[in-house]
Amino acid sequence: MKTELNITLIAPGCAITGDMVVDHGVSCFGLLDGGIISTQGLLHVGEGGLLKGMAQGEHVRIDGRVDGDVHARGSLEVNGQVCGDIYYCGTIRLGPRASLNGILKRVARMRTIEADAARAEQIADQSLNQATSRFPERADSNVTDISKAIA
């Protein structure tokens, strides 16, 4: 049985501005100036990676730096720096180089998942509104008509 590994890689030297919502794993070794939500898999901020915003994921590993709140539904491992509050549901491991500047709070899993779903919906709505305002000529495109016809 073959399984595929889906992962988004933000490479060293790469800079992304804006929020991201993905349904698979993410490894960030560059700069992400915005929040990120990973609904499945590992959300990894690698050594040299910088996330300026909120990080939410099932399994979260911080080896770089996060300037924002971190929400982990499963496991959390911190070997880097977090300047923000940390909310976790499962296990937590702090490595020898871990640096935390914020509160550390264990929360119920359902509370974190609801917050993730609401935030993901909010980010998706904002992205759609921004895309429509930036490219008004595409707002009336036939892409939705084609997808409706296919369905």
Side-chain angles (χ1 to χ4, degrees), residues 70-72 76 86-92 104-107 112:
V70 175
H71 300 258
L76 172 65
I86 295 177
Y87 303 92
Y88 69 101
C89 302
T91 60
I92 184 169
L104 183 64
K105 185 172 184 179
R106 185 173 176 92
V107 295
T112 304

Side-chain angles (χ1 to χ4, degrees), residues 11-89:
C14 181
I16 296 177
T17 302
D19 294 328
M20 291 177 61
V21 179
V22 296
D23 63 355
H24 52 272
V26 177
S27 284
C28 175
F29 293 93
L31 167 65
L32 177 57
D33 191 2
I36 187 163
I37 296 174
S38 174
T39 59
Q40 299 178 34
L42 175 67
L43 190 163
H44 178 221
V45 178
E47 210 169 311
L50 173 59
L51 173 63
K52 294 182 177 181
M54 173 195 57
Q56 292 188 38
E58 184 70 27
H59 304 285
V60 180
R61 181 174 179 175
I62 311 293
D63 291 323
R65 181 179 174 138
V66 175
D67 290 340
D69 293 347
V70 175
H71 300 258
R73 293 184 302 277
S75 62
L76 172 65
E77 184 176 341
V78 180
N79 292 311
Q81 297 177 315
V82 177
C83 293
D85 297 339
I86 295 177
Y87 303 92
Y88 69 101
C89 302

